[in-house]
Amino acid sequence: MHQVLFASAHVRRIDRNASLPAKFGRLLEKCRFAERFEGKRVAIKMHVGGDIGFTTIHPLFVRMVVDAVKKAGGYPFLTDGSFSTDAAVARGYTHEVVGARVVGAGGELDRYHYKRTTPVEGLPEVEICGNIADADAMIVLSHGKGHGHTGFGGAIKNIGMGCVSYRTRG
């Protein structure tokens, strides 16, 4: 049986232990990361933002996930689209801040990918980003956001568009 874990953002009192980071830390302790990630190379896939977008996950929470993976014996790295590493730095997603390397999912120039055939009409093949395909495990950090042209974006878009080459996205 699968379990959904939830940490409410509501703060009932001004107290360190009632803060969202403290609640998130307690949630991470329940995730049994050691049995999932020990000895594994773990891609932490997220959208780091771009241009003037500002609704991304705060680097503090990303650092907490990175630290939890390391504590479990895993080897985490942060990843997003191949051309997003500059945006990552601008928003504070650096090795010094989050505790893990930040790499483009498809390599520096979006040339590191694997072609896979699909049964989808009109989409005979896709190019899966190499750093995603080569990871032993993946954690997806998604934030819900309203998107000006396409409605609500979040976890599905983070995986469906963020783990394939720019050519496939088009």
Side-chain angles (χ1 to χ4, degrees):
M1 181 169 80
H2 296 285
Q3 182 180 20
V4 175
L5 303 175
F6 177 77
S8 174
H10 181 69
V11 177
R12 297 182 196 274
R13 65 186 187 285
I14 305 298
D15 179 335
R16 180 191 193 293
N17 290 320
S19 69
L20 188 54
K23 291 176 184 180
F24 188 60
R26 290 190 295 272
L27 182 143
L28 287 172
E29 289 172 3
K30 296 178 182 179
C31 289
R32 302 184 334 256
F33 277 8
E35 65 187 64
R36 292 179 166 95
F37 304 129
E38 185 176 9
K40 294 182 179 177
R41 187 170 171 260
V42 181
I44 298 177
K45 171 64 181 83
M46 64 177 292
H47 176 63
V48 298
D51 197 25
I52 62 169
F54 59 89
T55 53
T56 58
I57 297 171
H58 194 283
L60 169 67
F61 296 100
V62 178
R63 176 64 181 242
M64 292 174 75
V65 173
V66 167
D67 288 347
V69 171
K70 287 180 177 179
K71 182 179 177 185
Y75 306 98
F77 65 95
L78 187 67
T79 188
D80 194 11
S82 297
F83 302 110
S84 63
T85 53
D86 289 339
V89 170
R91 285 173 176 70
Y93 303 115
T94 64
H95 187 276
E96 295 81 7
V97 173
V98 300
R101 294 176 305 113
V102 181
V103 300
E108 184 67 27
L109 299 173
D110 197 46
R111 294 181 184 156
Y112 176 40
H113 45 74
Y114 299 100
K115 290 184 180 185
R116 300 288 189 257
T117 58
T118 78
V120 178
E121 185 177 329
L123 187 64
E125 71 178 21
V126 294
E127 296 172 344
I128 306 296
C129 290
N131 283 317
I132 298 294
D134 289 346
D136 300 310
M138 181 167 65
I139 294 173
V140 180
L141 297 181
S142 297
H143 64 283
K145 68 176 244 172
H147 197 287
H149 293 292
T150 60
F152 192 78
I156 294 170
K157 183 176 176 232
N158 192 2
I159 298 170
M161 302 255 323
C163 295
V164 296
S165 70
Y166 278 85
R167 184 174 151 258
T168 296
R169 289 176 69 170

